Amino acid sequence: MRILIVEDEPAMVELLRYNLESEGFDVSSAQDGEEAMLSIEEQTPDMVLLDWMLPKISGIEICRRLRLSSDYRNLPVIMITARGEESDRIRGLDVGADDYVAKPFSPAELLARIRAVLRRHNPDISGDTITIADVTLDLVAYKVNRSGLDLHLGPTEFKLLRFFMERAGRVLTREQLLDGVWGHNVYVEDRTVDVHIRRLRKALNSNDGTDLIRTVRAVGYCFEKG
Ligand code: CA
């Protein structure tokens, strides 16, 4: 899981980064709202930790913008702030933040909140299996089943399907798919993604199921929640 920290105080970024990385999260950071929006567009994280007090655009404004955008409406956001008053908390939640942590907070408290929000956003991921619509992916046995029938997928299609299902409902660009499935340092042509999507679709739809992978023209693909 990738978390984007949006915070202008370097010491705070380092503290957060240290705690999140030791829990196994991938961490990136942005110093202000503009950098944050660019980073989110380039590689959408699984969650944003958003400081309220930022130069230029405030955290509240960034959160509001994310909620108004069709692509990032569902992106999990936890607001972090020095302001602990009830009215601020309500304002943060009003603009669509999923949760709110006031400084100073303990790393354990923040991690618990992060996990709770991620669980809420990914209710279908439970330990060893992911189920979305009528598709179940078994991460241990490496099996995929649709409406009770086993499907036969190649290793790349399996990874691709897992990547999609863990981000169901979100539009993913070819670049995000390339990075997530093939890795950052591998040179693969965009066309390769399309070839594997075609194979994955063929396998998923082999028993006349509805097509769960939506093509978003000029952008990429989305695994529908059903
Ligand atoms: Ca700040």
Side-chain angles (χ1 to χ4, degrees):
M1 289 274 182
R2 179 187 303 274
I3 298 190
L4 172 67
I5 302 169
V6 188
E7 164 68 274
D8 58 323
E9 291 155 63
M12 193 65 192
V13 174
E14 279 323 297
L15 177 75
L16 290 169
R17 180 186 289 279
Y18 173 81
N19 281 290
L20 293 172
E21 282 180 350
S22 28
E23 290 297 310
F25 291 105
D26 265 350
V27 178
S28 51
S29 64
Q31 289 187 351
D32 59 51
E34 275 167 32
E35 210 185 309
M37 293 309 289
L38 286 174
S39 172
I40 290 168
E41 277 159 28
E42 204 171 284
Q43 192 163 42
T44 310
D46 297 293
M47 169 176 287
V48 180
L49 287 186
L50 188 55
D51 187 37
W52 185 308
M53 302 296 276
L54 291 167
K56 295 184 250 185
I57 317 170
S58 75
I60 282 283
E61 178 58 24
I62 297 170
C63 188
R64 211 178 55 83
R65 285 188 196 176
L66 289 173
R67 292 302 178 246
L68 289 174
S69 116
S70 56
D71 289 341
Y72 309 118
R73 191 184 302 150
N74 299 316
L75 184 59
V77 173
I78 295 184
M79 296 281 310
I80 295 182
T81 180
R83 311 161 63 162
E85 284 141 41
E86 182 76 1
S87 58
D88 289 338
R89 203 182 112 81
I90 291 164
R91 224 177 121 209
L93 297 174
D94 263 353
V95 292
D98 293 276
D99 205 350
Y100 180 102
V101 182
K103 290 176 189 170
F105 51 83
S106 75
E109 181 198 351
L110 178 65
L111 286 164
R113 286 179 186 244
I114 289 175
R115 291 210 186 84
V117 169
L118 287 174
R119 255 199 314 277
R120 252 192 346 254
H121 277 263
N122 302 289
D124 306 318
I125 302 175
S126 60
D128 301 339
T129 63
I130 307 174
T131 301
I132 295 180
D134 52 356
V135 180
T136 299
L137 187 107
D138 187 325
L139 301 167
V140 177
Y142 268 80
K143 278 187 174 173
V144 181
N145 157 318
R146 183 164 192 191
S147 298
L149 295 166
D150 284 339
L151 304 180
H152 301 283
L153 299 186
T156 304
E157 284 71 40
F158 187 90
K159 279 171 83 175
L160 192 57
L161 180 60
R162 178 182 180 169
F163 194 78
F164 266 129
M165 288 178 77
E166 285 174 339
R167 292 157 185 79
R170 206 193 286 176
V171 178
L172 300 167
T173 63
R174 284 184 182 77
E175 199 167 325
Q176 286 172 324
L177 292 166
L178 280 173
D179 280 352
V181 176
W182 282 267
H184 290 290
N185 305 314
V186 182
Y187 180 75
V188 187
E189 284 182 72
D190 280 9
R191 211 168 45 86
T192 309
V193 176
D194 300 330
V195 169
H196 286 280
I197 299 257
R198 205 148 53 227
R199 286 189 196 153
L200 176 58
R201 265 198 176 126
K202 204 174 158 205
L204 278 176
N205 302 340
S206 54
N207 298 308
D208 298 327
T210 50
D211 196 356
L212 292 169
I213 300 173
R214 177 165 57 96
T215 303
V216 183
R217 266 193 74 178
V219 181
Y221 299 95
C222 174
F223 190 91
E224 302 282 20
K225 284 187 168 175

